[in-house]
Amino acid sequence: MASILPGKEAFEDFRKQCLATENWLNKYDENGMQVWVEVAPANHKSHVPKVHKIKCKMTIKDVSAATMYDVIHDGQYRKKWDPVMYEGFDIARLSNNADVGYYSWVCPKLIKKRDVVTLRSWQKTDDEYIIMNFSVKHPEYPPKKDIVRAVSMLTGYFIKHTGPNSCTFIYLSQADPKGSLPKWVVNRASTRLAPRAMRCVHKAGRDYPEWKKQNSPNQKPWLYPEQSDLPMMDPAELSIQRADELENVDESFKVDAEDSEDSS
């Protein structure tokens, strides 16, 4: 049976997607930040994926790649800077560069909270860092009644060192929020919420060194696996979470009234 853990090819494929320009439509370009959504090739109209893929790129001139990598990994710090996080924690280690965790977040008004259980893996080279995840089913963390279980087909970060205190930071995600969300919610995510989230993580990068000095400064299990106190788990106990296995919650009727106000 093939391992659920990503191999070298998966990291390379993610890197290629992050750096690709063909078949991506620009939706936002201001102040060193760009947002794109994936579009089907001209000769493959019928192959447009039902769940769109979004990519955000930020040119950072005042924070190192290593620091941004630490910010994304540091679960304790995320509680300080992530404005939409409702709950988040690591569940278990799967290997020296993979774990499984839980994350839930607050959505725009009238829409239920979402959550995911994801297998996260990471890779570090001399000047590049990758963190990526996809949804899995964990026997002890089934969907909750009051939160809609979303699905990450592929979500992650590619961070490229460009100087001692600068980097290129790319976020890529193909995720199904489940439910019948109206068009304005999807549009807002790509054109307004994504840039706002990127600005939050950039500020978090600027503030991280000072915060880390006061909060277990030498504790970085994503760099030093021997520091991890998470229990080990056999990856074979997990399986990939498919979107069509989950219930669809129709929320469109709750937010249609917002359409004219927020679709711009």
Side-chain angles (χ1 to χ4, degrees), residues 140-154:
E140 295 176 24
Y141 293 89
K144 301 180 179 184
K145 285 184 180 178
D146 58 335
I147 299 181
V148 177
R149 178 61 48 91
V151 176
S152 166
M153 284 91 157
L154 179 66

Side-chain angles (χ1 to χ4, degrees), residues 202-219:
H202 182 192
K203 183 179 185 306
R206 288 197 296 264
D207 297 342
Y208 183 72
E210 196 58 42
W211 179 88
K212 191 61 176 168
K213 281 182 194 173
Q214 313 298 324
N215 294 271
S216 307
N218 299 315
Q219 186 76 7

Side-chain angles (χ1 to χ4, degrees), residues 175-189:
D176 187 344
K178 300 302 291 179
S180 303
L181 295 174
K183 187 182 175 189
W184 71 262
V185 174
V186 178
N187 287 346
R188 176 192 269 188

Side-chain angles (χ1 to χ4, degrees), residues 12 36 122 170 181 194 199:
E12 186 55 37
W36 298 270
W122 55 92
I170 296 175
L181 295 174
R199 283 190 285 271

Side-chain angles (χ1 to χ4, degrees), residues 15-245:
R15 180 182 184 275
K16 283 179 181 174
Q17 289 191 59
C18 286
L19 298 176
T21 55
E22 195 174 351
N23 302 320
W24 288 90
L25 175 67
N26 185 267
K27 304 284 280 185
Y28 181 96
D29 190 348
E30 287 182 26
N31 303 318
M33 191 186 308
Q34 294 90 36
V35 178
W36 298 270
V37 292
E38 188 181 38
V39 294
N43 58 341
H44 288 88
K45 291 289 185 191
S46 61
H47 293 135
V48 179
K50 189 170 138 187
V51 179
H52 82 168
K53 195 178 288 182
I54 184 173
K55 179 162 60 176
C56 310
K57 178 182 176 183
M58 183 164 50
T59 301
I60 295 178
K61 299 179 179 178
D62 55 358
V63 185
S64 70
T67 296
M68 294 305 295
Y69 182 66
D70 288 348
V71 166
I72 299 302
H73 266 294
D74 198 322
Q76 289 303 115
Y77 187 54
R78 185 159 197 158
K79 295 169 186 174
K80 302 286 183 186
W81 67 263
D82 187 343
V84 300
M85 185 171 84
Y86 183 69
E87 188 180 14
F89 51 86
D90 300 328
I91 298 169
R93 277 176 73 198
L94 304 173
S95 71
N96 281 346
N97 71 322
D99 60 20
V100 59
Y102 175 86
Y103 177 80
S104 61
W105 67 97
V106 179
C107 295
K109 58 185 177 181
L110 304 179
I111 301 174
K112 283 188 172 183
K113 292 189 284 287
R114 260 55 180 176
D115 70 359
V116 285
V117 174
T118 56
L119 188 161
R120 177 178 64 167
S121 54
W122 55 92
Q123 176 179 277
K124 173 181 176 293
T125 62
D126 287 343
D127 65 346
E128 294 180 355
Y129 304 80
I130 290 174
I131 306 170
M132 60 185 190
N133 74 56
F134 56 87
S135 283
V136 291
K137 288 186 280 191
H138 188 295
E140 295 176 24
Y141 293 89
K144 301 180 179 184
K145 285 184 180 178
D146 58 335
I147 299 181
V148 177
R149 178 61 48 91
V151 176
S152 166
M153 284 91 157
L154 179 66
T155 298
Y157 304 86
F158 173 78
I159 309 168
K160 172 83 172 176
H161 168 94
T162 56
N165 209 35
S166 64
C167 63
T168 298
F169 183 93
I170 296 175
Y171 167 78
L172 183 144
S173 180
Q174 184 175 22
D176 187 344
K178 300 302 291 179
S180 303
L181 295 174
K183 187 182 175 189
W184 71 262
V185 174
V186 178
N187 287 346
R188 176 192 269 188
S190 58
T191 58
R192 288 163 62 180
L193 298 185
R196 192 183 306 166
M198 294 288 273
R199 283 190 285 271
C200 278
V201 75
H202 182 192
K203 183 179 185 306
R206 288 197 296 264
D207 297 342
Y208 183 72
E210 196 58 42
W211 179 88
K212 191 61 176 168
K213 281 182 194 173
Q214 313 298 324
N215 294 271
S216 307
N218 299 315
Q219 186 76 7
K220 295 184 178 182
W222 52 93
L223 297 177
Y224 313 108
E226 66 278 3
Q227 293 180 347
S228 177
D229 56 5
L230 288 174
M232 284 298 296
M233 181 178 184
D234 184 350
E237 294 181 56
L238 302 171
S239 57
I240 293 175
Q241 175 69 72
R242 310 285 181 191
D244 58 10
E245 296 170 336

